[in-house]
């Protein structure tokens, strides 16, 4: 009898169709191409097979089949990520969670909700606001991004200055481990005893397993919200106002900044009618008890004017507030109006370094001949420079990537980070050794190996090279065959 030529992917595909049915398993190449990238379209891989999970049992069955056959798997939510974190494997399984979008429970008394991973961020706020609560993390993509993806990337948003990132709002997770076992970690309690496994899982980018439910905090809607737009002649002046506001002891819900190029793009896209001639604008939002907001609001207006603001607009109602935010929240997509291609960068610097780093980014942009639009969370120094280029021009992509990498180098040089909320994914893995020592990376790998000794859960993400679990770190005599061939680095 001739030996079987079936590959592990062939075997697992047949097993999944038998267990889940052909409606939930996509094998047609054209349909699989739908899932070839996330929001970072520069990286594209057609997945080997796609599973449309309906419930946690589907996820567990899929992962167990992957573990039996040594096939890699990647979990995907709405696909809005900007780091290639959900980039599939051509010889692996993509587990799509977007059909798991039930809000299982809203416990108003405990200020908790239990949700499926495919629940849209803003959907939870819409469901809980009639009871006077909302879900605080608010990425710009909150109308389309999923809470499972927020957990994977530890997403932030404009209001993370006051309310923190996703990790500050998760108290429990249901997880399918890389071996296919279903486990519950945490719950409704505010601070479960033992090791902080939730802290390890939130932001792990799907490398430690697949989240099938999240228990999250609900935040009470503030008594009052006031939003203003302050226009400045320069980014330096806007940065000085930001530092002055925080130094005065005022912690707004959000302080967002846009430069002239980002304003130009937003005007072209959504006609937000920001003040003409502005070199930068600040969007500042205050919320809380009415007396506190009133006092802080007067301080913010005064500090902006002292820093050189030539116009301050105050939202009179929810419609005006929405219009102010529309320009900021549309900024990423809006640059498509002024550039055929762009790279969204995500770095962090100390807030006090804002003026200097922004000047250095401008110098980098000018010297390379590459335009950069700046949009960012000024209150916590989370930069989102948009590097603009035309991919049809020879050498333009390389120049843009060089500028994008140079911006991350600037962030690190000033004591910052290569990512604030978009994650490392496939895009920034190569930059990890610039921020962490080899020992740091080995320690992180040890954690990953404890959860996923076979390295099948979203491999190729976060770390610059694949490493082998089960090996002692340090010097060894002789080379491992995979290491010798350049396929892996021994850990």
């Amino acid at each position: 009898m001739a030996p079987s030529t079936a590959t592990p992917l062939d075997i697992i595909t047949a097993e999944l169709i038998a267990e889940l049915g052909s409606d939930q398993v996509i094998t047609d190449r054209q349909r699989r191409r739908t899932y070839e990238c996330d929001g970072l379209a520069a990286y594209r891989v057609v997945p080997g097979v796609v599973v449309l999970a309906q419930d946690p049992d589907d996820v567990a069955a899929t992962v167990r089949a992957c573990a039996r056959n040594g096939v890699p798997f990647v979990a995907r939510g709405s696909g809005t990520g900007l780091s290639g974190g959900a980039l599939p494997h051509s010889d692996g399984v993509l587990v799509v969670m977007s059909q798991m979008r039930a809000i299982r429970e809203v416990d108003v008394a405990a200020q908790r909700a239990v949700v499926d991973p495919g629940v849209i961020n803003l959907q939870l706020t819409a469901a809980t606001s009639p009871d006077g609560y909302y879900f605080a993390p608010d990425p710009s993509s909150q109308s389309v991004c999923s809470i499972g993806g927020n957990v994977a990337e530890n997403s932030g948003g404009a209001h993370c200055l006051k309310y923190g990132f996703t990790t500050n709002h998760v108290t429990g997770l249901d997880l399918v481990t890389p071996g296919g076992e279903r486990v519950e970690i945490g719950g409704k309690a505010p601070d479960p005893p033992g090791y902080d496994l939730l802290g390890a899982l939130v932001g792990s980018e799907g490398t430690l397993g697949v989240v099938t439910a999240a228990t999250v905090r609900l935040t009470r809607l503030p008594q009052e919200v006031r939003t203003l737009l302050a226009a400045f002649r320069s980014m330096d002046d806007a940065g000085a106002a930001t530092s002055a506001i925080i130094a005065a002891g005022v912690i707004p819900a959000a302080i967002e900044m846009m430069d002239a190029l980002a304003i130009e793009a937003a005007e072209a896209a959504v006609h937000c009618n920001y003040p003409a001639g502005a070199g930068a604008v600040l969007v500042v939002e205050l919320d809380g008890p009415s007396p506190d907001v009133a006092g802080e609001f007067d301080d913010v207006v005064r500090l902006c004017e002292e820093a050189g603001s030539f116009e301050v607009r105050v939202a009179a109602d929810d419609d005006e507030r929405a219009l102010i935010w529309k320009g900021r929240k549309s900024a990423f997509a809006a640059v498509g109006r002024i550039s055929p291609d762009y790279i969204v960068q995500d770095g962090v610097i100390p807030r006090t370094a804002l003026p200097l780093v922004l000047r250095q980014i401008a110098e980098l942009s000018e010297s390379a001949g590459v335009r950069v639009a700046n949009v960012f969370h000024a209150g916590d120094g989370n930069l989102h420079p948009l590097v603009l280029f035309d991919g049809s021009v020879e050498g333009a992509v390389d120049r843009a990537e060089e500028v994008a990498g140079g911006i991350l180098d600037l962030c690190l040089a000033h004591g910052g980070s290569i990512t604030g909320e978009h994650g490392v994914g496939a895009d920034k893995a190569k930059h990890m050794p610039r921020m962490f020592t080899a020992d740091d990376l080995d320690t992180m790998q040890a954690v990953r190996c404890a959860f996923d000794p076979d390295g099948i859960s979203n491999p190729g993400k976060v770390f610059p090279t694949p490493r082998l679990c089960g090996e002692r770190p340090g010097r060894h005599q002789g080379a491992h065959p995979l290491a010798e061939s350049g396929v892996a680095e021994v850990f």
Side-chain angles (χ1 to χ4, degrees), residues 7-336:
T7 67
L9 186 62
D10 295 331
I11 295 170
I12 196 174
T13 300
E15 290 180 1
L16 292 171
I17 291 173
E19 184 154 0
L20 304 178
S22 58
D23 288 345
Q24 287 182 240
V25 182
I26 299 175
T27 57
D28 177 74
R29 178 176 172 80
Q30 287 303 108
R31 293 181 64 197
R32 285 185 284 126
R33 286 195 63 191
T34 303
Y35 305 97
E36 66 183 359
C37 68
D38 58 11
L40 187 64
Y43 296 86
R44 296 174 183 267
V45 175
V46 178
V49 64
V50 176
V51 170
L52 305 178
Q54 305 288 328
D55 54 43
D57 289 337
D58 290 350
V59 177
T62 301
V63 173
R64 282 196 299 269
C66 290
R68 280 196 305 271
N69 294 282
V71 172
F73 63 88
V74 177
R76 175 191 171 103
S78 295
T80 58
L82 293 169
S83 64
L87 188 72
H89 279 255
S90 60
D91 57 351
V93 177
L94 185 69
V95 189
V96 177
M97 317 289 285
S98 57
Q99 295 184 20
M100 295 174 59
R101 52 172 64 186
I103 298 175
R104 301 186 189 180
E105 180 186 1
V106 174
D107 187 342
V108 173
Q111 299 183 330
R112 297 288 187 271
V114 183
V115 299
D116 279 355
V119 169
I120 300 302
N121 178 292
L122 202 55
Q123 178 188 351
L124 181 56
T125 289
T128 56
S129 58
D131 293 313
Y133 289 87
Y134 73 111
F135 185 53
D138 63 336
S140 293
S141 59
Q142 67 178 146
S143 62
V144 290
C145 68
S146 65
I147 290 179
N150 296 166
V151 170
E153 303 295 339
N154 190 23
S155 302
H159 293 81
C160 64
L161 171 63
K162 181 174 182 178
Y163 292 102
F165 288 73
T166 299
T167 189
N168 303 112
H169 299 270
V170 174
T171 62
L173 293 173
D174 290 1
L175 183 78
V176 173
T177 70
E181 180 184 2
R182 292 178 60 181
V183 298
E184 296 179 7
I185 298 171
K188 293 182 180 179
D191 188 17
Y195 291 118
D196 183 16
L197 296 178
L198 284 175
L201 290 166
V202 178
S204 63
E205 305 191 27
T207 61
L208 305 182
V210 182
V211 171
T212 56
T215 302
V216 299
R217 299 179 192 274
L218 299 176
T219 302
R220 183 173 288 279
L221 288 167
Q223 183 180 18
E224 184 169 351
V225 179
R226 299 194 70 180
T227 306
L228 66 84
L229 177 78
F232 298 84
R233 298 296 181 190
S234 71
M235 294 286 281
D236 275 7
D237 290 347
T242 300
S243 294
I245 290 168
I246 303 298
V250 177
I251 305 297
I255 309 180
E256 299 290 294
M257 191 186 298
M258 298 170 64
D259 70 3
L261 195 53
I263 295 168
E264 176 190 340
E267 291 291 354
V270 299
H271 311 292
C272 49
N273 195 31
Y274 286 174
V281 295
L282 283 184
V283 177
V284 184
E285 188 157 278
L286 299 159
D287 67 10
S290 296
D292 293 349
V293 171
E296 291 179 342
F297 186 84
D298 291 340
D299 289 339
V300 169
V301 172
R302 174 180 55 81
L303 291 167
C304 285
E305 291 174 342
E306 289 177 355
S309 174
F310 66 86
E311 184 176 345
V312 176
R313 295 181 183 175
V314 181
D317 52 35
D318 287 345
D319 288 340
E320 290 189 8
R321 176 179 175 235
L323 183 60
I324 286 175
W325 276 110
K326 189 175 184 180
R328 165 60 186 92
K329 294 217 167 189
S330 68
F332 286 5
V335 295

